[in-house]
Amino acid sequence: MYCKQCGSQINEGAKFCGVCGTPTVAAEATPEDVAANSRHTFYAPQSTGIGAIEFITSYITFYLKGSIEFTNGNVIAQVPNTILGVIPLGRRKRTLDVAHITSTVSDFKVDIKKLLIGAVIALVGLCSLGDPDSILLALAIMAFGVLMVLNALVSYVAISMDSGELVIIPLVVFERDKADMIADNINRLLSARKYDTNVRIHTENAADRMAHGQAQIVDAINGLR
């Protein structure tokens, strides 16, 4: 059967939906209900992780790829370190606990410093094309400048932590779809965690009410003696 609230499949005999915590009483839904609610359904992450996404952070050092891995409790980000997106300086790794992530967005920005440096280098290369003896060097300089200009156009994922820290994951502009995918996956993890918390609270409240009811029954019986 399926949950009437979120459309997730529910095991036979379960008292609550394992995703959103809705009681199974009157919770059975038809396949049509599932299809209607599919765009709003969030799935809890598996214990083995829900995959990883690789991306490029610089056109010049395109061979140094970053990655984001999603597990049931953490977001593991590995991003290449570079100077101005040109000189490689290893990689930095961050493991972010989903419990401390408050929100995630993907967006676009322009790095003015890289844009100006790239434009100047490209202009120098362009001006050097008049010398037949150095035309190849001029083309290389101009291409380098153009790549720096492209590097100045940045897609990024901004992850807000409950400590106030803002973690930025940069991607090249033509991988905006991956930035959106990363943000969607993190938000899915946050939603799954919220649902799990609601289930625990719902179960604890039900247990408290049951214990309170049993205590009242015992008190009533004792009063009749």
Side-chain angles (χ1 to χ4, degrees):
M1 68 181 172
Y2 298 89
C3 176
K4 187 71 174 179
Q5 178 67 25
C6 69
S8 299
Q9 187 171 2
I10 304 174
N11 294 330
E12 293 296 335
K15 295 182 179 180
F16 300 96
C17 171
V19 175
C20 68
T22 301
T24 55
V25 178
E28 187 170 356
T30 64
E32 289 75 15
D33 294 325
V34 176
N37 290 311
S38 61
R39 70 177 59 187
H40 304 295
T41 302
F42 295 94
Y43 299 94
Q46 303 298 317
S47 59
T48 55
I50 60 174
I53 298 175
E54 289 191 340
F55 52 88
I56 299 172
T57 60
S58 170
Y59 290 110
I60 297 175
T61 56
F62 62 90
Y63 51 90
L64 298 175
K65 291 187 176 182
S67 67
I68 295 284
E69 182 180 356
F70 309 95
T71 70
N72 59 327
N74 297 304
V75 175
I76 303 173
Q78 297 191 65
V79 180
N81 278 326
T82 61
I83 297 178
L84 295 176
V86 178
I87 304 174
L89 288 176
R91 298 164 68 89
R92 66 181 185 273
K93 180 178 179 180
R94 288 288 306 271
T95 299
L96 307 174
D97 190 337
V98 174
H100 297 297
I101 297 176
T102 58
S103 64
T104 305
V105 297
S106 59
D107 209 337
F108 168 83
K109 67 177 181 179
V110 178
D111 188 322
I112 300 300
K113 182 178 180 180
K114 288 183 181 179
L115 183 66
L116 293 176
I117 293 175
V120 170
I121 293 175
L123 185 60
V124 169
L126 181 63
C127 294
S128 301
L129 289 176
D131 185 357
D133 295 332
S134 60
I135 189 169
L136 292 178
L137 178 60
L139 289 173
I141 293 174
M142 188 167 62
F144 183 80
V146 170
L147 290 176
M148 284 206 67
V149 169
L150 289 176
N151 279 345
L153 310 177
V154 183
S155 296
Y156 68 92
V157 177
I159 305 173
S160 299
M161 309 298 293
D162 57 10
S163 63
E165 179 186 7
L166 187 64
V167 180
I168 301 296
I169 309 296
L171 296 82
V172 295
V173 66
F174 294 118
E175 291 199 326
R176 175 62 188 271
D177 57 333
K178 290 188 177 181
D180 293 339
M181 191 182 304
I182 291 169
D184 287 345
N185 278 337
I186 295 176
N187 285 325
R188 180 174 296 179
L189 284 174
L190 295 178
S191 296
R193 178 176 175 80
K194 180 180 178 181
Y195 286 138
D196 289 342
T197 301
N198 289 340
V199 170
R200 284 197 300 273
I201 293 174
H202 197 296
T203 302
E204 289 171 0
N205 289 341
D208 290 341
R209 287 195 299 269
M210 183 178 296
H212 181 67
Q214 290 173 344
Q216 287 181 323
I217 293 173
V218 171
D219 290 341
I221 293 174
N222 291 333
L224 295 175
R225 292 177 180 177

